[in-house]
Amino acid sequence: MTLSRVPFSLSLITLVLAPLVTAAAENKSWQLQAAGVSQMAHGGVGLIQTPTARMAPAGDLSMNYTDNEEYRLWSVSIQLFDWMESTIRYTDVRTRLYSDDPNFSGDQTYKDKGIDVKFRLLQESSYLPQVSLGIRDFGGTGLFESEYLVLSKKWHNVDFHLGMGWGYLGNGSNVSNPFCEIKDSFCQRPGEFGGQGGKIDYDQFFKGTASLFGGIEYQTPWQPLRLKLEYEGNNYQQDFAGDLIQDSSWNIGAVYRWGNFNFDLNYQRGNTLGFGVHYALNLHDVRQYKVKPALRPLPEQLNRSEITDRDALPKALLQEAGFALRTAHIIDDEFIIYGEQLAYRDHDEAVERIGRILANEVPSHIKRYRIVNYAGNLAAVETVIKADDFIAAARYESLYSDIKSTYVRQQPEAKTLGYKTQPSQKGFFAGSETFFIQTFGSPEEFYMYQGGIFANAGYRLSNNLMLNSTAKITLLENFDKFNFKVDNQQTALPRVRTFVREYVSGDALSMENLYFQWQDQIVPDVFAQAYGGYLETMFGGVGGEVLYRPVDSNFAIGFDINYVQQRSYENDFDFFDYKTLTGHVNVYWKPEFLPDTQLTFNIGQFLAKDKGVNIDFAKRFDSGIVVGAYAAITNVSAEEYGEGSFTKGFYLSIPFDLFSLRPSKGRGRLPWIPIARDGGQPLNRPATLIDATEQRSPFYD
């Protein structure tokens, strides 16, 4: 089962994202229409049932719902790069029940998860077609498992497509499998999916029967309307919904675009009517209009000899630049400010705003402005601005004025931090945030939810030591529909996560965490922390972490180690007997050959004492939205792990700035975890150094 926790406001993303799309994004959708790009029934660029070699523009996201007599399909297709398309999908099989036991799942129909990927191998040219290779429904139960190679070539307003498919797309067997001529093992495809599902069956790829498929897509003179005709290679005689009658291998359809929506109507198999609704936007172009102060102008004469109004500077920094000033210091020809950036996630805009304010407010003899940005108690980064160069660039005195060239980011210098004692941070603090837990595909109900408030409070004993606590207050839920709390699968692994229903369906008021935390920068570029207490919903204990992270480096490395005990789900303070040592070497890398991408490797021992690596892939778009996927591969076999075969998941990280009329920082995360079991499960540490030091080498902000 899957339980995903997200901020409540972001759980309604599909309802509120549309107004954020600017005219630029809407224009992009018309470019898609002109390029002949539309979604097929299973999600992903294609005709009706068959894919094409075409790709949407990089950053395009399409949310799809399609329907015919046997299937309803919900899918999301994302163009991560201009050469790579990925799709995740839920399929509702109307002709089958979730189970034969009405006490277990009632009359709910069967639901299936699927993942597709397509790669462009050759881009279209004047004489050559575009060529793409794709894999459909890999890593799941394989209802529609297929591999295919497809070509596309455009001639005026007509786009021609021809491909060869294996698996589901090749069931019609209208052509010999060319790989069978090379090796006999390619002649037969295993008839049943092996194992517990979830793993990628490489041994099935390009095996068994094959079929040719293809078609044309015609852009009519009326811009919103496109027409489709396809010939498919599936005969539907081995379909999971049953042996479906196919009166014709030809399918026809039409697509009508209205704004960012596509509406399609089609006639399949010579006897079945289908339709679909698709909403497209581009993740690079998502914007929210902002209400913010104008940039502070720089007059021709700046001859201030001293700061006359000491209240004006902190007020201006907060209101015009989102910078909360803690203290400031003048020494010789340098002016240093210490504080925290609360708004403006665009670092360059924040620096320019601060620089313009300082140029107006501080004495004119100052030659350097130093900005020390804190993240909590950590001095994360120091920005040094050459005052004269900045003023000249901000006034556009040169045709090639470049404000970014007038400052550098660096590790805060020891002398900068030693000039003035920071104000004490001792005392109480409190806050709150909404939460939303959701699960898809449960036997009792396809969609289940729980929402409420996390009430946070704590006491800072010193600048480096604090006590943190979080109370969970549940306000709405339908978790009372759970018919069982723990699955009956036999597994050799300790139940470190599969008691999740017991934990989330308890009292309306519960303790999420309660722990002490110490955090500091021990030497330049090296940070450390230690913590102990009730660390997360299911575990408590003690732990520590060290991280090496230079400023603006594409590489960081660290390790954490934790000794924890499983918390009781019967009350907030007791523990079960299970104890374990868990920890990882953590590697963070932003490769230059994959722009705006971060790879994370967590190598070590997980909660169930299994050993391996968790690999996280994150892609950031110009809007700040991040799309990510992860998988944990350990020494636990697929049989020991159980359904799903190994831990994996996907997530969407969205800046709060896209939901606010005023500049802001922070973000929320929308996860999708197909099946979560006990192998490959990390400790959900309440604080990590990579998050605390984000300003040093920004990826998310």
Side-chain angles (χ1 to χ4, degrees):
M1 76 166 289
T2 303
L3 291 177
S4 306
R5 189 173 76 194
V6 300
F8 177 74
S9 59
L10 291 183
S11 69
L12 304 178
I13 180 67
T14 57
L15 299 179
V16 299
L17 200 56
L20 305 182
V21 182
T22 61
E26 191 165 337
N27 289 340
K28 178 73 76 174
S29 71
W30 283 104
Q31 293 176 25
L32 300 186
Q33 171 83 14
V37 174
S38 58
Q39 299 282 306
M40 58 181 167
H42 287 78
V45 174
L47 292 170
I48 301 169
Q49 288 286 340
T50 61
T52 69
R54 297 302 180 197
M55 297 282 182
D60 193 66
L61 178 147
S62 181
M63 293 173 281
N64 315 297
Y65 171 76
T66 62
D67 196 310
N68 63 26
E69 186 175 337
E70 294 81 21
Y71 295 109
R72 284 182 292 191
L73 302 102
W74 297 268
S75 63
V76 176
S77 183
I78 303 176
Q79 193 75 37
L80 293 174
F81 304 96
D82 59 3
W83 48 268
M84 178 183 178
E85 171 193 271
S86 60
T87 302
I88 56 177
R89 175 180 54 257
Y90 264 104
T91 303
D92 178 13
V93 185
R94 285 186 166 123
T95 60
R96 288 180 178 261
L97 291 177
Y98 191 100
S99 78
D100 296 329
D101 185 356
N103 295 321
F104 179 68
S105 57
D107 60 356
Q108 185 182 178
T109 52
Y110 185 89
K111 306 296 191 300
D112 178 69
K113 298 174 287 288
I115 306 169
D116 306 345
V117 65
K118 182 170 71 175
F119 302 96
R120 188 185 67 204
L121 304 181
L122 180 67
Q123 194 164 6
E124 183 179 16
S125 65
S126 298
Y127 300 102
L128 296 177
Q130 185 156 305
V131 181
S132 292
L133 174 72
I135 306 172
R136 177 187 286 183
D137 207 2
F138 70 93
T141 51
L143 300 192
F144 308 109
E145 188 176 59
S146 307
E147 306 81 50
Y148 61 87
L149 185 70
V150 60
L151 296 72
S152 296
K153 191 73 180 77
K154 192 168 186 180
W155 182 72
H156 298 291
N157 290 330
V158 181
D159 212 5
F160 296 91
H161 313 284
L162 177 64
M164 178 178 289
W166 293 259
Y168 188 79
L169 289 171
N171 280 337
S173 189
N174 60 28
V175 68
S176 298
N177 183 352
F179 293 106
C180 185
E181 303 296 326
I182 302 174
K183 192 174 183 181
D184 289 343
S185 60
F186 282 94
C187 298
Q188 296 293 326
R189 190 180 185 95
E192 295 182 359
F193 190 85
Q196 297 286 337
K199 65 180 180 180
I200 303 174
D201 275 346
Y202 301 103
D203 61 342
Q204 293 193 11
F205 285 0
F206 304 102
K207 292 183 177 180
T209 59
S211 288
L212 293 176
F213 62 83
I216 60 174
E217 189 167 5
Y218 171 60
Q219 170 61 60
T220 69
W222 185 33
Q223 187 69 21
L225 181 65
R226 301 188 67 85
L227 302 178
K228 297 182 176 183
L229 173 68
E230 75 173 0
Y231 177 85
E232 60 175 322
N234 184 14
N235 61 9
Y236 293 94
Q237 295 306 296
Q238 302 177 43
D239 210 84
F240 187 78
D243 292 341
L244 307 183
I245 297 174
Q246 185 183 44
D247 293 329
S248 174
S249 296
W250 292 93
N251 303 327
I252 60 172
V255 180
Y256 174 78
R257 179 172 292 275
W258 178 67
N260 284 72
F261 285 92
N262 262 356
F263 302 93
D264 61 64
L265 186 66
N266 52 69
Y267 192 63
Q268 305 173 30
R269 307 198 305 270
N271 53 37
T272 302
L273 189 67
F275 68 91
V277 180
H278 315 265
Y279 178 77
L281 57 88
N282 192 278
L283 297 180
H284 284 305
D285 298 328
V286 176
R287 296 288 186 272
Q288 171 66 288
Y289 294 106
K290 288 289 181 283
V291 178
K292 56 186 178 181
L295 291 172
R296 180 79 70 96
L298 295 179
E300 289 297 324
Q301 297 297 322
L302 292 171
N303 52 11
R304 187 183 293 273
S305 59
E306 61 181 9
I307 299 176
T308 56
D309 185 352
R310 295 190 176 273
D311 294 330
L313 180 60
K315 183 178 179 180
L317 287 172
L318 183 61
Q319 294 182 349
E320 298 179 36
F323 185 85
L325 182 68
R326 294 184 180 181
T327 188
H329 186 67
I330 293 181
I331 181 168
D332 299 330
D333 60 352
E334 295 187 339
F335 188 83
I336 310 168
I337 60 173
Y338 309 81
E340 188 171 357
Q341 194 70 47
L342 302 180
Y344 296 97
R345 60 185 175 91
D346 184 331
H347 174 263
D348 295 326
E349 181 180 2
V351 169
E352 180 177 359
R353 286 179 171 274
I354 293 172
R356 286 174 175 270
I357 294 168
L358 296 180
N360 277 277
E361 298 292 337
V362 306
S364 304
H365 74 275
I366 296 296
K367 298 300 181 185
R368 276 180 298 278
Y369 310 135
R370 294 181 180 265
I371 308 166
V372 181
N373 278 95
Y374 277 78
N377 64 297
L378 300 177
V381 64
E382 178 182 12
T383 304
V384 183
I385 304 175
K386 296 179 181 179
D388 292 341
D389 293 347
F390 175 87
I391 292 170
R395 286 174 172 165
Y396 300 102
E397 292 180 357
S398 169
L399 184 62
Y400 302 103
S401 296
D402 180 13
I403 290 179
K404 288 182 64 175
S405 67
T406 66
Y407 60 83
V408 296
R409 287 163 42 88
Q410 63 185 31
Q411 160 70 29
E413 295 182 5
K415 66 175 183 178
T416 303
L417 299 178
Y419 281 142
K420 197 171 184 70
T421 302
Q422 295 296 307
S424 173
Q425 301 295 310
K426 292 182 181 180
F428 287 98
F429 58 88
S432 65
E433 60 179 316
T434 57
F435 74 87
F436 199 84
I437 297 172
Q438 58 185 356
T439 172
F440 297 90
S442 296
E444 302 89 346
E445 191 84 13
F446 175 68
Y447 181 70
M448 300 183 75
Y449 60 87
Q450 184 184 75
I453 296 172
F454 283 134
N456 311 303
Y459 186 83
R460 188 178 288 276
L461 291 85
S462 70
N463 285 356
N464 300 102
L465 181 63
M466 70 182 80
L467 173 66
N468 298 286
S469 66
T470 303
K472 176 185 173 186
I473 305 169
T474 301
L475 300 178
L476 71 163
E477 64 175 339
N478 67 349
F479 282 178
D480 58 334
K481 295 184 179 181
F482 283 144
N483 289 333
F484 69 95
K485 298 298 176 64
V486 182
D487 63 71
N488 61 1
Q489 292 194 34
Q490 299 300 314
T491 174
L493 293 177
R495 294 280 191 165
V496 297
R497 288 300 183 205
T498 45
F499 284 128
V500 59
R501 292 185 175 201
E502 295 279 9
Y503 286 99
V504 300
S505 59
D507 296 334
L509 176 63
S510 61
M511 180 182 69
E512 187 75 2
N513 57 52
L514 175 64
Y515 63 97
F516 283 97
Q517 178 188 21
W518 170 86
Q519 198 176 72
D520 202 1
Q521 183 172 181
I522 52 178
V523 296
D525 297 332
V526 179
F527 301 83
Q529 69 168 351
Y531 41 81
Y534 299 91
L535 300 178
E536 53 137 292
T537 305
M538 303 183 195
F539 284 90
V542 296
E545 181 186 10
V546 175
L547 176 70
Y548 170 72
R549 189 177 196 179
V551 172
D552 290 336
S553 172
N554 288 336
F555 181 82
I557 187 171
F559 71 88
D560 67 271
I561 187 167
N562 312 273
Y563 182 71
V564 295
Q565 186 169 356
Q566 191 169 26
R567 291 177 62 184
S568 170
Y569 49 70
E570 296 172 349
N571 66 66
D572 287 338
F573 299 98
D574 289 345
F575 288 88
F576 292 134
D577 293 335
Y578 182 73
K579 301 175 183 178
T580 187
L581 184 70
T582 178
H584 296 83
V585 173
N586 306 302
V587 179
Y588 310 90
W589 179 36
K590 289 178 276 192
E592 294 183 0
F593 60 86
L594 289 176
D596 299 318
T597 299
Q598 179 169 279
L599 298 174
T600 302
F601 304 89
N602 310 111
I603 309 162
Q605 179 163 292
F606 295 87
L607 284 172
K609 300 181 182 179
D610 51 328
K611 300 174 179 63
V613 57
N614 184 84
I615 304 172
D616 184 290
F617 170 90
K619 166 65 178 177
R620 184 187 63 225
F621 298 91
D622 292 347
S623 62
I625 293 174
V626 174
V627 174
Y630 62 89
I633 310 300
T634 74
N635 59 349
V636 171
S637 68
E639 290 72 22
E640 291 175 300
Y641 181 89
E643 186 181 1
S645 295
F646 64 96
T647 292
K648 52 192 168 296
F650 308 86
Y651 58 89
L652 195 66
S653 178
I654 305 174
F656 291 145
D657 189 69
L658 296 180
F659 296 86
S660 171
L661 289 174
R662 295 186 179 278
S664 63
K665 297 188 73 176
R667 56 179 55 237
R669 182 165 161 141
L670 286 167
W672 181 63
I673 306 169
I675 296 174
R677 295 202 57 77
D678 297 306
Q681 294 291 343
L683 177 70
N684 294 326
R685 293 182 290 139
T688 62
L689 288 175
I690 195 67
D691 291 335
T693 61
E694 171 68 13
Q695 295 182 63
R696 291 179 67 85
S697 181
F699 178 77
Y700 287 93
D701 290 328

